[in-house]
Amino acid sequence: MFFARYFTISSFYYSFSFIHHQPTPQLQSTHPHLGLPTLNHTTNALASLAVLQNWYNTSSGLWDTTGWWNSANCLTVLADFAALNPVAAAIAKDVFANTLSRGQACSLQMTKIIHNYIPVSFHWGQQPLSPSGLSEPSIIQPKGFLNDYYDDEGWWALAWIRVFDVTQNSTYLLVAATIFEDMKRGWSTPCGGIWWDKRQSYVSAISNELFLSVAAQLASRMADTSYYLDWALLQWAWFEQSGMINSKNLVNDGLHIKSCSNNHGNTWSYNQGVILGALVELAKVSQDKTYLVKAKAIASAAISGLTDRNGILHDPCEPHCGADGSQFKGIFLRNLQILQQAAPEDEYSLFIMANANSIWLTDRNRKGELGLVWSGPFRDPADASTHSSALDALVAAVTI
């Protein structure tokens, strides 16, 4: 396994409970500012990173047991943690280069459908098996991390932007810029915004939030700031009036193509998350903090509307979210942490800490794998998607 080369660097945390089945580490007393019981989330995140890398496939440059776009999110959480911790940075360095080289040269045979307003990915020869009647797609090499789905492309663009932030290697940023140019070609729907897919079958919130986020982030990093900022401003102006943000300040899944009206699809956690990071970046690059007002409204609506009585985040697909929904919650925590850094609120800190604590104490098996339902108890199976999503919450807690 790829992670084996780092055993010497990381051996100091291999003695924790998930390896030797010792008792769970004890809580520290309380968080000094929040009055909330805390764990050592840096130590826990390092241990969980070790487990995640057991799924990393050096040949494909991707993470086994999960899908194409999920691997982009695995890469993102690795980069986020690398920005905070030197051990994570040492692990990440070769992963970044290997995934850039091998990921876009892999043999990708996949298709996606929308089922009950959730994207469902099918990778031929992997679980979940495709339903009968679904045409077998061609095998492609996703050169430039491009495929037939604009949301997938957006996840990879954000991943490479984050890798650039950590490494300052412009090669990664240029990959993201090339992906953006392909996403821009999707700006042809009858409703405005970009399509979810190149078959032009759906106008989704997530593809449009990703397009906004990529544009805003490139605006603050590329030389041609005005080009990307103009796109970001245009995209937000459209998205804000599209009707996808409902009266409760939650983002529904997409639009009806014929009426261009809110389809009242599920308010998935990731749809509440990506928009937060996008608006933070737009506020920064435009020097207009009013964008944070809307971000805060969406964040508070999600915290109050998508959680249980203990403040733990859930998606309505639980406990059976498939290979795609299992990624959603970590994306919300990742982007809430970005908002917290830009516009701190105790509400956000408490929420991040509560979810990270619950994951570690109730949703972890004896191998250290992190599951889907963060309130526990742990349910099999865990995979690189459930685990990396939960790791997003642990990494967010490191910043508190």
Side-chain angles (χ1 to χ4, degrees), residues 35 55 83 97 184 189 191 200 220 244 247 288 326 356 366-367 389:
W55 283 301
K184 191 180 71 174
T189 89
C191 306
Q200 301 185 350
S220 64
M244 282 188 280
S247 60
D288 184 351
S326 56
R366 292 179 68 82
K367 294 185 289 184
S389 180

Side-chain angles (χ1 to χ4, degrees), residues 39-120:
L39 295 163
N40 187 329
H41 289 296
T42 297
T43 300
N44 297 344
L46 284 168
S48 297
L49 177 58
V51 176
L52 178 64
Q53 291 309 100
N54 287 332
W55 283 301
Y56 186 67
N57 185 323
T58 55
S59 296
S60 67
L62 306 173
W63 280 260
D64 290 339
T65 72
T66 195
W68 172 247
W69 76 273
N70 310 80
S71 281
N73 280 274
C74 293
L75 187 67
T76 303
V77 71
L78 176 58
D80 282 344
F81 197 20
L84 300 171
N85 183 272
V87 175
I91 294 167
K93 181 179 178 181
D94 286 349
V95 175
F96 295 158
N98 189 66
T99 295
L100 179 66
S101 172
R102 293 180 178 270
Q104 61 182 318
C106 75
S107 296
L108 185 65
Q109 188 178 24
M110 64 165 289
T111 192
K112 293 169 70 171
I113 62 172
I114 298 293
H115 178 68
N116 292 333
Y117 299 114
I118 185 172
V120 182

Side-chain angles (χ1 to χ4, degrees), residues 255-279:
L255 299 176
H256 292 294
I257 294 177
K258 291 184 178 180
S259 64
C260 295
S261 59
N262 188 319
N263 63 17
H264 304 291
N266 289 317
T267 52
W268 301 113
S269 58
Y270 77 157
N271 278 329
Q272 321 315 312
V274 173
I275 195 66
L276 303 184
L279 290 173

Side-chain angles (χ1 to χ4, degrees), residues 116-157:
N116 292 333
Y117 299 114
I118 185 172
V120 182
S121 300
F122 299 101
H123 293 75
W124 257 244
Q126 300 178 26
Q127 295 291 339
L129 297 177
S130 60
S132 59
L134 197 62
S135 300
E136 182 173 348
S138 301
I139 298 173
I140 66 167
Q141 284 190 332
K143 185 177 180 181
F145 296 88
L146 305 179
N147 70 348
D148 291 331
Y149 302 91
Y150 292 117
D151 58 337
D152 289 7
E153 294 184 1
W155 295 119
W156 281 107

